[in-house]
């Protein structure tokens, strides 16, 4: 059974600072997804990572995947208040396209 | 392109009552998921369809939950009878290929009192 763990679960950071969210998964997975969720809203897709060493960047967010270490990271550069949200990673497994989510990281960017 | 549509947005019921949720996925998306998201947690998969067939329902509490996807398009999720611990947001998502992202609907927030 695929398990996905994120850390930290809660993160408060000041504007302008950098930080990294970690996502570990327990069994082989060849695709990793990052989603953002604002309070009371649904999940918005941020990144799809499909191969070892994949790196994708959008604005102040950069995601990477190391399939050998079973680790994905979401790096935040020079945080701004608009990035405050909960971030989820999800690992895909099997030919049946199953998605298993982590518990989420609640990010608060303070002025 | 229209997104994943879900209804109702909110529902309040008493325990032991029944409730049904509806989902219309993005056109052409063969894979459809129902997730349960309890406050403060990540989404937990309840059931996955590929066209109108069930791929995975191992985490669906089958004594009270049921789901169907007629004609491989719309889907309904039913809870009968509801328990207090069923209070959650029920998310529907759909996707096309194996390596594409899933698109989520707005969800149905269920409160069981």
């Amino acid at each position: 059974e695929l398990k996905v763990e994120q850390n930290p679960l809660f993160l408060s950071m000041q504007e302008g600072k950098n930080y990294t969210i970690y996502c570990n998964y327990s069994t082989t997975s060849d695709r990793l997804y990052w989603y953002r969720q604002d309070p009371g809203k649904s999940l918005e897709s941020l990144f799809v990572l499909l191969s070892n060493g994949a790196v994708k960047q959008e604005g102040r967010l950069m995601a990477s995947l190391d399939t050998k270490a079973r680790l994905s990271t979401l790096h935040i550069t020079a945080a701004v208040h608009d990035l405050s949200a909960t971030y989820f990673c999800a690992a895909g497994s099997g030919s049946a396209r199953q998605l298993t989510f982590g518990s989420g990281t609640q990010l608060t960017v303070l002025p | 392109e229209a997104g994943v549509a879900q209804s109702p947005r909110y529902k309040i019921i008493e325990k032991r009552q029944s409730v049904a949720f509806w989902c219309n996925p993005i056109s052409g998306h063969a894979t459809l998921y129902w997730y349960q998201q309890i406050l403060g947690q990540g989404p937990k998969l309840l059931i996955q369809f590929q066209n109108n067939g069930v791929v995975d329902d191992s985490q669906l509490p089958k004594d009270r939950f049921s789901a169907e996807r007629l004609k491989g398009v719309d889907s309904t999720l039913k809870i009968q009878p509801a328990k207090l611990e069923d209070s959650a947001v029920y998310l529907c998502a759909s996707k096309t290929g194996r390596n594409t992202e899933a698109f989520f609907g707005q969800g149905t927030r269920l409160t069981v009192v």
Side-chain angles (χ1 to χ4, degrees), chain B residues 42-85:
Chain B
K44 171 191 157 188
L45 179 68
L46 292 175
I47 189 167
Q48 177 185 348
F49 292 94
Q50 184 69 18
N51 296 308
N52 60 348
V54 175
V55 173
D56 182 1
D57 63 356
S58 58
Q59 298 188 80
L60 187 73
K62 297 181 187 63
D63 58 334
R64 299 185 300 107
F65 286 65
S66 64
E68 61 182 6
R69 189 181 184 195
L70 298 176
K71 300 180 182 178
V73 182
D74 293 4
S75 178
T76 55
L77 176 70
K78 297 179 182 177
I79 307 175
Q80 180 180 7
K83 293 185 175 181
L84 296 177
E85 58 260 36

Side-chain angles (χ1 to χ4, degrees), chain B residues 1-112:
Chain B
E1 176 182 77
V4 176
Q6 289 188 246
S7 67
R9 289 293 311 278
Y10 306 92
K11 191 74 177 178
I12 301 175
I13 61 172
E14 294 183 350
K15 59 183 179 184
R16 292 188 289 275
Q17 285 188 323
S18 302
V19 65
F21 313 129
W22 174 82
C23 172
N24 179 233
I26 294 172
S27 178
H29 283 198
T31 305
L32 185 148
Y33 307 92
W34 282 102
Y35 283 90
Q36 180 193 58
Q37 186 177 23
I38 293 172
L39 186 64
Q41 298 182 17
K44 171 191 157 188
L45 179 68
L46 292 175
I47 189 167
Q48 177 185 348
F49 292 94
Q50 184 69 18
N51 296 308
N52 60 348
V54 175
V55 173
D56 182 1
D57 63 356
S58 58
Q59 298 188 80
L60 187 73
K62 297 181 187 63
D63 58 334
R64 299 185 300 107
F65 286 65
S66 64
E68 61 182 6
R69 189 181 184 195
L70 298 176
K71 300 180 182 178
V73 182
D74 293 4
S75 178
T76 55
L77 176 70
K78 297 179 182 177
I79 307 175
Q80 180 180 7
K83 293 185 175 181
L84 296 177
E85 58 260 36
D86 297 333
S87 295
V89 175
Y90 291 84
L91 295 164
C92 178
S94 69
K95 67 191 308 223
T96 55
R98 180 174 181 267
N99 293 333
T100 59
E101 72 260 54
F103 293 88
F104 283 79
Q106 293 288 325
T108 296
R109 183 176 299 275
L110 173 68
T111 303
V112 182

Side-chain angles (χ1 to χ4, degrees), chain A residues 29-80:
Chain A
S29 173
D30 57 0
R31 48 202 188 284
L32 198 292
Y33 306 83
W34 285 96
Y35 286 85
R36 168 180 172 148
Q37 187 174 41
D38 291 288
K41 301 293 179 68
S42 191
L43 285 88
E44 173 193 352
S45 177
L46 295 175
F47 300 108
V48 181
L49 303 168
L50 298 176
S51 60
N52 186 41
V55 177
K56 291 196 174 180
Q57 183 163 6
E58 180 74 33
R60 301 174 187 273
L61 301 178
M62 183 173 70
S64 65
L65 177 62
D66 181 342
T67 58
K68 295 179 181 178
R70 298 178 185 166
L71 170 68
S72 180
T73 60
L74 181 66
H75 187 73
I76 303 155
T77 301
V80 293

